[in-house]
Amino acid sequence: MIRVSNIKLPLDHDDQALTDAILSMLEISADQLTAVEIRRRGYDARKKNTIFLIYTLDVDTTINAQLLEKFAGSQSIRQTPDMEYKYVAQAPAELPERPLVIGFGPCGILAGLVLAQMGYKPLIIERGKEVRQRTKDTFGFWRQKKLNTESNVQFGEGGAGTFSDGKLYTQIKDPNHYSRKVLTEFVEAGAPEEIMYVSKPHIGTFRLVSMVEKIRARIVELGGEIRFSARVDDLLIEEGQVTGITLSSGETIRSKHVALAIGHSARDTFQMLFDKGVYMEAKPFSIGFRIEHEQSLIDQARFGKNAGHPILGAADYKLVHHCKSGRSVYSFCMCPGGTVVAASSEEGRVVTNGMSQYSRQERNANSAIVVGIDPSDYPGHPLAGVDLQRQLESNAYVMGGENYDAPAQKVGDFLKGAASEELGTVQPSFKPGIKLTDLAKALPDFCIEAIREAIPEFNKKIKGFAKDDALLTGVETRTSSPVSIKRGYDMQSINTRGLYPAGEGAGYAGGIMSAAIDGIKIAEAIAMSINEQHES
């Protein structure tokens, strides 16, 4: 097929307009065009009242070879790349051992699935519960303030991405088209087919629940096994080589190939790994607040008269400001038509996150507004970032009333430095609830100063962003892992053979898609290592 890029059409074009654009670009007649597949559809909203759709298409014609020769060197017309996933190995007939995958979030799910598809029958260990029971526990916390520290937004089948907007796009380079493999598996598990071509695909929490169950069933069908409520309390190491794990139940499981896909909030596991001597370093992350506006305000600011158009859906945004101090403030995990959620995983601590359903039809838009920090802000040992997170979350718990309500403040009051006493037009979506206060006490002074500088600048890009009644809720501390568990070219820990640090928790991903892609890479590395050892 031929890939045709950068076809620009009005928002409300008809089907014939797309065909006409292809014919014009390729300089062919209608009878020479035999097939058209939409590969990507995005939009250009720089002029909000004149929005264009931008297409990338794969087309077949009766003269493909001639066209590729005619347009040789063109960036907009070229041969469609082969995006079909190729398995790097197959398990030997007599499998010497089962690889272990610790964690069943996006990274662990794809690592486990690809290993199972190659015949390695992985054993997957997940400290939390299966997804439907986990959902009950999480909603129970939001409604009744009863936290289950092993089954919540952070821990359980599906990982932290289950309670999010379900974004499936990433800015990482992907020359091997691993993202295509991920999207294909998600569609087969029940995701809408549009995720294969829209520029910013998302799924939403409720659809993710059923998808995760179907992928789990597929892994089991292929000989894999998943154990829930099974926390890894010890890593067995002999002469620098992993030999197995010990579970909280006391059971020991032997394996020399262990994928570590624990997510960014497994603080007790970080500590255990540190105590065992697995090499890790403190890494940069970001801290801040969640900000809420009426979704209608964001739609109007981004899309103007086109607000509400079904193709565009609920508007999102991406903002960044470089402060005079040298700090950067940016929006993170923007959730159109969503809610701010309680993401605590430890008792006596409050932390926020954002979530949307597929429809994105809730009243408010929310995103994190966060300040980048690095190890110079929390010097000391590799887990100093964890200590800072805990300190800020404990402080937020106290500020919220010590009952898992979150501290909150109207944007106008925050900018003026005055505690909020009553809500305005923006109603908080955070459950269990919020307590109005002065958020200047919730973060280090340099963060408060940076956010106060950034919000008026963001208002220049999105009119109304700094409106007095917009609401800030604190704190957002789990933007990414505070540690990096270093690995080498072979994907193994640089000082612990057989341990494969992976995904967000190890510092190698940021979001569902990049974590899933990293899971595929880990599965490939494990498969090739097992085969090499079997053959030697």
Side-chain angles (χ1 to χ4, degrees), residues 348-367:
R349 296 190 170 101
V350 165
V351 59
T352 65
N353 198 358
M355 184 181 85
S356 296
Q357 301 301 342
Y358 175 71
S359 62
R360 292 177 164 175
Q361 289 183 345
E362 299 294 333
R363 179 179 178 180
N364 290 351
N366 78 79
S367 76

Side-chain angles (χ1 to χ4, degrees), residues 149-364:
T149 57
E150 297 295 327
S151 181
N152 46 62
V153 166
Q154 309 296 348
F155 301 142
E157 183 178 24
T162 303
F163 298 96
S164 70
D165 186 50
K167 296 178 181 66
L168 298 178
Y169 48 93
T170 178
Q171 294 180 326
I172 66 170
K173 294 181 179 179
D174 185 23
N176 294 321
H177 307 288
Y178 289 130
S179 60
R180 190 76 180 171
K181 167 68 170 172
V182 176
L183 294 175
T184 299
E185 294 294 349
F186 283 0
V187 169
E188 290 184 4
E193 290 191 10
E194 69 175 32
I195 69 171
M196 301 296 293
Y197 63 83
V198 296
S199 61
K200 295 180 179 180
H202 75 283
I203 300 177
T205 291
F206 287 160
R207 290 202 178 199
L208 278 165
V209 168
S210 60
M211 285 168 48
V212 167
E213 289 181 318
K214 290 178 181 177
I215 296 175
R216 182 219 307 168
R218 179 62 174 154
I219 292 172
V220 172
E221 178 187 338
L222 292 168
E225 180 184 349
I226 299 98
R227 295 193 192 180
F228 296 109
S229 300
R231 190 181 67 242
V232 175
D233 278 359
D234 195 15
L235 187 69
L236 307 180
I237 304 173
E238 297 178 10
E239 298 181 350
Q241 168 69 54
V242 165
T243 59
I245 60 174
T246 300
L247 302 181
S248 55
S249 64
E251 179 185 1
T252 294
I253 303 173
R254 295 288 178 176
S255 178
K256 292 184 178 180
H257 293 86
V258 179
L260 190 69
I262 56 178
H264 60 39
S265 292
R267 294 164 171 171
D268 48 1
T269 307
F270 291 153
Q271 184 68 57
M272 179 270 290
L273 294 168
F274 179 68
D275 292 342
K276 298 292 291 189
V278 175
Y279 185 80
M280 62 181 67
E281 297 176 354
K283 65 172 277 292
F285 61 105
S286 300
I287 56 177
F289 304 124
R290 280 272 150 185
I291 191 167
E292 287 189 271
H293 302 85
E294 297 98 334
Q295 181 63 47
S296 58
L297 181 147
I298 305 300
D299 291 344
Q300 182 63 37
R302 293 279 285 114
F303 297 149
K305 68 178 184 180
N306 294 298
H309 194 286
I311 286 182
L312 299 175
D316 63 4
Y317 57 78
K318 185 177 182 180
L319 301 167
V320 63
H321 173 65
H322 301 289
C323 298
K324 298 173 184 176
S325 65
R327 301 277 178 182
S328 291
V329 182
Y330 62 98
S331 61
F332 173 80
C333 185
M334 195 274 158
C335 297
T339 56
V340 181
V341 300
S344 300
S345 57
E346 295 178 327
E347 292 181 356
R349 296 190 170 101
V350 165
V351 59
T352 65
N353 198 358
M355 184 181 85
S356 296
Q357 301 301 342
Y358 175 71
S359 62
R360 292 177 164 175
Q361 289 183 345
E362 299 294 333
R363 179 179 178 180
N364 290 351

Side-chain angles (χ1 to χ4, degrees), residues 35-47:
V36 177
E37 293 181 17
I38 298 176
R39 186 58 61 206
R40 185 178 184 275
R41 187 189 71 202
Y43 59 78
D44 180 349
R46 287 174 292 179
K47 296 181 180 179

